Amino acid sequence: MRAILILLAFVANFSVSAQIYNPVKWKITLTPAGDGNYTFLAKCTIEDGWSVYSQYLANEDGPIATTVNFDEGSHYKLIGKNKESDNAKKIFDKVFEMEVVKFQHSYAIEQKIKVTDPSKPITGYVNFMTCNDERCLPPTDVEFELFATGGSTGAAGTKPAETKTATPEVKATSKVDAGSVASAEKKKITEEAPAEKTPASSSTFSNVGSISVTGQSAPKSVLKPVKWTFRSVKKAEGSYDIIAEAVIDEGWHIYGPGIHQEGSPVPTSLIITADASNTLDGKITDQSSGRVEEHDKYFDMQVVKFKHDARITQSIKSTSPVTVSGSLEFMACDQSRCLAPEFLEFTIDLATGKDVTAMAETNGPRVDDNGFLDQRIPSIKTTYVTPVSNCGEKPKEEKGNLLWMFIFGMINGFVALLTPCVFPMIPLTVSFFTKDSKRKGWENGLWYGASIIAIYVVLGLIITILFGAGSLNELSTNPIANTAFFVIFILFAFSFFGFYEITLPSSWSNKSDAMADKGGMIGIFFMAATLAIVSFSCTGPLIGTALVEASSEGFLGPLVVMGGFSLALAIPFSLFAAFPAWLNSLPKSGGWMNSVKVILGFAELALAFKFLSIADMTAHWGFLRYELFMGIWVIIALGMASYMFGWIRFPHDSPNRRIMPLPVMLGLLFAGLGIYLATGLLGSKETGTYNSLSLMSGLAPPAHYNFFKPLGEVEQENTGQYVSLSKCANNFDCFHDYYEGLAYAREKNKPILLDFTGYGCVNCRKTEEHIWSKELIRRKINDDFVLISLYVDDKMEMDSVLKSAVTNQKIRTVGQKWTDFQIANFDQNSQPLYVIVSPDERVLTTPRGYDPDVAGYQSFLECGLNTFKEISSPAIGSN
C-alpha cells in the first residue's frame, strides 16, 4: 500500500510539471565538543508549503522516514542516540491520508561522536523525503565527508594534524522504490590552508568540517576573517603600552583573554618576550565594541566573545627602549565552523611605536588568488571610531540637498509659467472655472492645481522606478550619461531658440482633451493632463534640467524636484481661480515671452557644457579644461547681452522687434556677468593657477585642471624611485594613489590629509576653492601635510577586474577602488570626507565632511597636526 501511494505521488509530481524542485537545503557540520568528542549536526531549511518527515513514524505504510546513515569505521564511534529538533508537528497528511510527524520551515538532527583518529574522514549520508499538499519528491541522499582535524586526545604537547576543512557540494541521488536514480551534482572538496604556525600546547580542535547543500561549490580561498596590527604608545619615561588591534569580519568572533581549559576554545593571548630590558607592568586589558559574554553551544560553556573589533593592551617597563618582541595567539569562529588557532609574531620599534615587521612589507592592497581585494586597515578602522585625539569636533549630521532640490524645482516651475506655452493658458483656464459660483470655481481651481502636482510627481516616481536609485546616482558622474545629457541640452537650447519644437504626439493631447470634455473632477484632471502635454515644448527642457540635476540625490531626488516644479506651476491656477480679479494685474502675452525662451536657450547651452565637463574629467579625455570652459561661458553670457540689445535675432523673433528699457537693462546685466566670468581667467598669486570664482563652484572644472600645469614627479629619498605627484586644487602637490602617498608620508614623516573627493562633487569644489585657498590653510596643507586626493568617480579602467572583500561588488574602475577603500575603512561613501592619518595609519582626530566654516577647518588641521607632533615626540603620548 505504501509503495503504491508513493508511486502515485511521484507520478502526480512528474505529470503536473517538468520543473525541478529543490525545496530543502541541508547544511551538515562537525564541531568540537571537548575531550575528543564532536557534535554532528545535520540541519535543513524547508521552503513554505513543504515538509520533511521525522525519523520516528508509527506507520510504515506512510511516507519514508528521515535517516542518518554513517559508513562503518574504526576511527570513530557514535555516542547514544541522535536527537531531533523540537519543532515537530503531528498532523494529518493529505497525500498519505494519515497522521504523521513532520517538520516545516526547519529540521535538525544532532549526534554525539567520539573520534579516535582525526586523520580519517567521517562519511555517510542523510536520506529524506519531502512533500507538499499536492506532490512528493523522490527520497534523496545527501552525502557528507567531514574531518575532525587538530588531534583527538586533548593531551598537552600533541602536535595537531594538518588543517583541512571539507566543504563539499551535495552528492544527491534520488531513489524511487526500486532504485530509479536521478542524476546528481558532482561533489567537490575545497581545503583551507593551514595556519602559519600552531603552538604545540594547543589542545583544542579548532577546525570544523562543514557541508553546505546549495548546489554551488565553495570558493577555493584561505579564510582570513581577522586582521591584526601592532603598535606601542609611550605613557611616561620608560613606560609603554603594547597594543594589538583587530578588525573582525561580520559574522565572525574571537574569544577573550583568559586561562585555557581542556575542551574550551583558545583564548586570545598577547605574550611579550621578557628580557633584561623589558618587563611586564600589570595585567592584560581588553576592549571591544562587540564584547559579549554568553553560552557557546558548540563548546557548551560560558565564554567571552569579541565581535567587529578588539584591542588587547599589555603595559611594559623598558630600561633600554629600542625594540620589543612578542606573539599573539587567537582562534576565530563563526556560527558553523572554527578555524585553526593562529600564532602571529611582531617586533615593535619603541622609538617610533611602529611594527617593524609590518613596515618591512610592501605597501599596497591585498589581492588573494580569487581576485578579492581587501583594503581594510585595522589600525585605521579602530582609530576612526576612537581617534588618537579628541580635540576635533564631532562630525555634524549632514543635511541632504533635498530642500535645495525642491527650491530648484520651484524655480524651474515659475520660469515655465513665463513661457508662451503656459502663460496664455492661465486666464483661459481660470475663466472656465469662474463660470460657476465663486465657491465652485475655487474648488475646481484647487482640484486643477492638485491634479498638476499629482501628474508631475507620478512622472518623477516613474523615472525613479525605471532607473532605480543606484542608477540615478551613477548617472551624475557617468561619462556616457553626461555626454548624452550634453547632446540633449544642446537640442533643448536650439528648441528654445526657435529652430524647431519638441512636442509629444498630438494623439496624446487629443485623447486627453476628449476626456476633459466629460466634466466633473475626472474632466478637470484631464484638463491638467492636457496642459502638461501641450506645454511640453516649453516645459520639457526645464523638466529635463531639473531631473538631471536631481539624479545625484538618489531615490527621492526626482520626486522632490517634480514636487517643487508642479507646485510652482499649480499655484497661479489655484490662486487666480480663488481671486479672479487678480487676472487684471497680469501682463499681456506678447513678444517678451519669446525673449524668455531665448534666454532659457542660452542657459540650457551653458549647462550642456557643464555635463560635458564632468564626462571629460571622469573619463580623462582632457579636452575641456578650465580655460576653454570659462571662455565658452563668457561667450554665452555676451551672447545673451547681444540678444537683449537686439544685435542678434532668432527665427521666432519679430522683424520689427523694439528694444525697450527693460531688455537693455538685462543686456547690461548679462554683459556684466560676462566680464565677471572673464576675471576667472586671471592668474592667482596665492594658488599659482587661476582665480576661482564663487559663482562657478561646482559648475566649472577646478582651476588646477588646465592646459598649462603639467604633472610632477618627486624622488623618494634613499630609494632612487620616483613617485607621481599630481597638481590638485590651489596648485597643491598631491597624490591620487593612497599607497604611493603613504610611502611618501613615511619617508618625510608627515601626517596625511586624506581627501575623498569626486569630479562631480559640488561641495568638494566649494571646499577647495573657498576654504583651501585661504592663506593660513593653504600654507598649512602645503607645508605640513601630504595631501592624498582620491577621486571616487574616476572612470579609468583597472588593469584587471577585482572583487571587493567587503561589499562583494566588482571593482572595474579606479573610482570604484577608492570608493571601496572609503567604505572598508570609514563605513561611509559620501563626499567630501577629510581624514588626518599618521604615517603608521592611525586616525589622529575626528574626520570632517563638508562645512563652509573656515575657522572650523583650520582648527581641524591644527588639531591633527598637534596630535601628530605629540605622538612623534619623546614626550608622553596618548592611547
Side-chain angles (χ1 to χ4, degrees), residues 505-828:
S506 58
S507 59
W508 293 14
S509 59
N510 292 337
K511 290 179 181 178
S512 180
D513 195 41
M515 293 294 293
D517 291 339
K518 294 184 177 182
M521 298 183 74
I522 294 177
I524 293 174
F525 176 84
F526 279 99
M527 283 180 64
T530 303
L531 172 70
I533 294 170
V534 299
S535 64
F536 185 80
S537 62
C538 295
T539 60
L542 295 170
I543 293 172
T545 303
L547 287 173
V548 169
E549 289 294 333
S551 64
S552 61
E553 293 301 315
F555 184 84
L556 292 176
L559 294 178
V560 170
V561 80
M562 284 292 93
F565 181 89
S566 57
L567 180 63
L569 208 60
I571 285 174
F573 291 97
S574 300
L575 282 179
F576 287 123
F579 306 99
W582 290 4
L583 287 172
N584 297 326
S585 61
L586 284 178
K588 294 182 179 180
S589 302
W592 64 269
M593 289 187 293
N594 286 332
S595 299
V596 171
K597 287 186 66 175
V598 170
I599 296 303
L600 290 176
F602 279 112
E604 296 281 331
L605 195 60
L607 287 174
F609 284 95
K610 178 228 177 185
F611 294 111
L612 185 60
S613 170
I614 294 174
D616 172 68
M617 288 189 293
T618 56
H620 297 276
W621 294 334
F623 68 86
L624 188 56
R625 296 179 181 262
Y626 181 83
E627 300 96 334
L628 180 58
F629 183 93
M630 292 299 294
I632 291 172
W633 272 56
V634 169
I635 292 172
I636 290 173
L638 296 178
M640 288 192 287
S642 299
Y643 178 77
M644 289 288 95
F645 293 146
W647 298 342
I648 57 176
R649 298 180 184 275
F650 288 96
H652 54 41
D653 287 324
S654 170
N656 300 319
R657 178 182 166 211
R658 296 174 59 190
I659 306 302
M660 305 296 289
L662 181 59
V664 172
M665 292 177 62
L666 290 174
L668 293 173
L669 178 64
F670 291 135
L673 175 64
I675 295 171
Y676 168 76
L677 294 175
T679 63
L681 293 170
L682 300 176
S684 170
K685 293 181 180 179
E686 290 79 10
T687 64
T689 55
Y690 294 98
N691 178 34
S692 299
L693 303 176
S694 301
L695 184 65
M696 299 302 290
S697 292
L699 294 173
H704 67 272
Y705 182 67
N706 54 60
F707 289 108
F708 307 111
K709 298 291 181 181
L711 301 180
E713 287 186 334
V714 65
E715 184 179 1
Q716 277 188 273
E717 295 178 7
N718 304 323
T719 65
Q721 296 181 342
Y722 286 85
V723 292
S724 297
L725 270 173
S726 304
K727 291 296 182 182
C728 286
N730 301 290
N731 207 28
F732 288 135
D733 289 329
C734 73
F735 291 87
H736 293 314
D737 183 288
Y738 172 76
Y739 304 100
E740 289 183 358
L742 175 64
Y744 185 73
R746 286 173 173 172
E747 191 70 46
K748 298 295 184 182
N749 194 31
K750 285 185 176 183
I752 295 166
L753 176 58
L754 192 55
D755 164 34
F756 290 97
T757 184
Y759 293 110
C761 174
V762 174
N763 288 335
C764 302
R765 299 294 85 74
K766 290 180 179 178
T767 300
E768 294 164 2
E769 295 169 2
H770 309 300
I771 296 180
W772 285 8
S773 60
K774 302 301 180 184
E775 181 60 24
L776 289 176
I777 292 176
R778 190 187 66 80
R779 191 185 311 130
K780 193 172 291 293
I781 293 175
N782 201 50
D783 298 342
D784 299 328
F785 290 89
V786 174
L787 177 61
I788 303 178
S789 293
L790 304 179
Y791 284 81
V792 300
D793 53 4
D794 190 333
K795 301 302 178 182
M796 181 177 289
E797 296 288 333
M798 298 274 289
D799 293 335
S800 60
V801 178
L802 303 174
K803 203 168 187 179
S804 169
V806 177
T807 65
N808 210 35
Q809 300 292 317
K810 288 186 178 180
I811 298 175
R812 295 185 173 88
T813 67
V814 172
Q816 290 172 341
K817 175 184 175 182
W818 300 131
T819 298
D820 178 72
F821 182 86
Q822 185 181 3
I823 294 172
N825 293 291
F826 304 103
D827 298 320
Q828 59 174 288

Side-chain angles (χ1 to χ4, degrees), residues 102-273:
K102 62 170 66 175
F103 293 84
Q104 297 172 327
H105 306 303
S106 65
Y107 178 31
I109 304 171
E110 184 179 290
Q111 172 70 61
K112 298 294 184 182
I113 301 177
K114 178 75 173 181
V115 178
T116 57
D117 185 356
S119 65
K120 297 179 181 179
I122 298 173
T123 59
Y125 64 93
V126 177
N127 179 265
F128 73 100
M129 188 175 80
T130 181
C131 302
N132 62 13
D133 290 342
E134 299 177 352
R135 60 179 67 89
C136 290
L137 302 184
T140 301
D141 289 347
V142 179
E143 298 188 2
F144 55 83
E145 182 178 15
L146 305 173
F147 287 85
T149 58
S152 61
T153 65
T158 302
K159 185 178 179 179
E162 182 182 10
T163 302
K164 292 184 179 181
T165 299
T167 311
E169 294 184 6
V170 186
K171 184 178 179 182
T173 55
S174 301
K175 303 176 182 178
V176 181
D177 282 350
S180 175
V181 180
S183 63
E185 296 182 353
K186 184 179 180 181
K187 179 175 70 177
K188 296 180 181 178
I189 298 177
T190 62
E191 296 184 357
E192 293 172 5
E196 295 176 5
K197 181 178 178 182
T198 305
S201 61
S202 175
S203 61
T204 299
F205 316 129
S206 57
N207 228 24
V208 178
S210 67
I211 176 170
S212 180
V213 184
T214 60
Q216 297 179 349
S217 60
K220 293 183 179 180
S221 61
V222 178
L223 293 174
K224 289 286 185 182
V226 184
K227 313 293 186 304
W228 287 93
T229 56
F230 302 92
R231 61 185 176 91
S232 69
V233 172
K234 185 176 182 180
K235 299 192 299 179
E237 193 63 39
S239 180
Y240 299 85
D241 276 346
I242 307 302
I243 302 171
E245 293 169 314
V247 175
I248 306 169
D249 287 356
E250 191 66 32
W252 290 83
H253 62 267
I254 61 175
Y255 295 91
I259 300 174
H260 182 234
Q261 301 174 353
E262 189 147 325
S264 70
V266 173
T268 302
S269 60
L270 179 64
I271 301 171
I272 306 299
T273 303

